[in-house]
Amino acid sequence: MKAVIFDLDGVICFTDKLHYKAWKNIADEQGIYFDEKINDRLRGVSRMESLDIILEKADRAYSFDEKKEIAEKKNDIYVSLLDTMSEKDLDANVKVVLDTLRSRGTLLAIGSSSKNTKKILEKLGLRDFFDAVSDGTNITKSKPDPEVFLKAAEMLGIKPVEAVVVEDALSGIDAALAGGFECVGIGEAAMHPKVTYPLKDLADLPEIVLRKNADI
Ligand code: BG6
Ligand code: MG
């Protein structure tokens, strides 16, 4: 296994909570019911598709222009929450996992649907850390489509079978499998019936990569 492709929100950082806060603000303003369970369905899904899921609970139809305006407002709130982030928000356990894999020569990439990926990496002090960053700015279809991971593999110059994808979202596991990748699931994604490696703790990831390489 030459490479590990990480999802960003909910794997490398806990921005999924900030997405929730921003969407909750919007939903409350529009008088639409929204809770953490609905928020789980937004993991890995693009901004506009997330809004469509939230609007399932609305009692009226929204025009395209209204949706565009709401999505922009949500992003403004989200970005102002991101502005409070710093290197201190990089979880120590995540950093150990990244450094361990890096020290063993594993290629490391990001595969995220977020258009804010580069901003978040900058905030966490990881701007130049990854060998490739594939994100919402270079894809036309978001997860469960495999495009974001296939682009990451292409940027790394490797085949999907040579990489493992790490995900917290069910849609991300579907995307990885559709692209021909093995996948590690944490959180809800560990419950996916087809996940290759369900994990309780991301700290176990280097061991999985090591064992997999010893088998080859
Ligand atoms: C994904 C998140 O990483 O990025 C989704 O899991 C989010 O919840 C998506 O909707 C798009 O993010 P952004 O930052 O482009 O609005
Ligand atoms: Mg995620």
Side-chain angles (χ1 to χ4, degrees):
M1 195 172 284
K2 289 188 183 163
V4 179
I5 304 174
F6 292 90
D7 170 49
L8 181 68
D9 296 313
V11 172
I12 296 291
C13 52
F14 306 106
T15 37
D16 43 345
K17 295 197 181 86
L18 306 184
H19 277 295
Y20 174 73
K21 260 194 191 174
W23 280 128
K24 179 76 179 136
N25 199 303
I26 293 287
D28 287 352
E29 195 178 83
Q30 296 292 322
I32 299 169
Y33 179 77
F34 182 59
D35 62 17
E36 303 223 13
K37 197 152 178 271
I38 301 173
N39 191 60
D40 282 341
R41 290 176 57 206
L42 312 185
R43 290 179 196 276
V45 175
S46 75
R47 198 178 306 162
M48 285 306 272
E49 287 166 310
S50 296
L51 178 56
D52 282 335
I53 292 172
I54 290 166
L55 293 181
E56 285 171 9
K57 291 262 183 258
D59 53 12
R60 68 172 179 92
Y62 283 71
S63 70
F64 177 76
D65 285 347
E66 275 180 303
K67 288 204 255 184
K68 217 171 136 241
E69 200 180 303
I70 293 175
E72 270 165 29
K73 190 163 182 202
K74 181 267 173 176
N75 194 52
D76 289 344
I77 300 169
Y78 179 59
V79 167
S80 66
L81 293 171
L82 289 181
D83 279 334
T84 65
M85 271 173 77
S86 73
E87 293 185 20
K88 285 191 209 116
D89 292 299
L90 178 58
D91 186 276
N93 296 324
V94 171
K95 186 75 172 88
V96 168
V97 167
L98 293 175
D99 288 340
T100 306
L101 291 168
R102 165 59 42 85
S103 70
R104 293 182 190 160
T106 312
L107 292 169
L108 304 176
I110 292 288
S112 167
S113 304
S114 174
K115 292 186 171 152
N116 292 297
T117 295
K118 292 181 182 89
K119 183 182 177 76
I120 293 167
L121 292 178
E122 170 94 52
K123 285 276 175 194
L124 296 175
L126 293 174
R127 198 189 65 173
D128 299 317
F129 184 84
F130 292 94
D131 302 294
V133 175
S134 173
D135 65 18
T137 65
N138 62 254
I139 55 170
T140 53
K141 287 167 260 157
S142 83
K143 302 167 189 175
D145 190 280
E147 185 182 8
V148 75
F149 296 135
L150 292 172
K151 287 262 166 67
E154 196 182 304
M155 289 176 193
L156 292 172
I158 55 142
K159 298 190 205 85
V161 289
E162 295 173 313
V164 66
V165 165
V166 186
E167 264 292 346
D168 70 316
L170 298 174
S171 63
I173 297 293
D174 286 334
L177 294 171
F181 297 88
E182 288 198 326
C183 47
V184 165
I186 59 169
E188 192 188 25
M191 260 96 84
H192 190 292
K194 293 197 177 143
V195 67
T196 330
Y197 308 101
L199 276 197
K200 277 213 181 75
D201 193 337
L202 190 69
D204 298 332
L205 176 63
E207 182 63 25
I208 283 183
V209 176
L210 204 62
R211 259 194 273 147
K212 172 84 186 161
N213 286 344
D215 281 345
I216 287 170

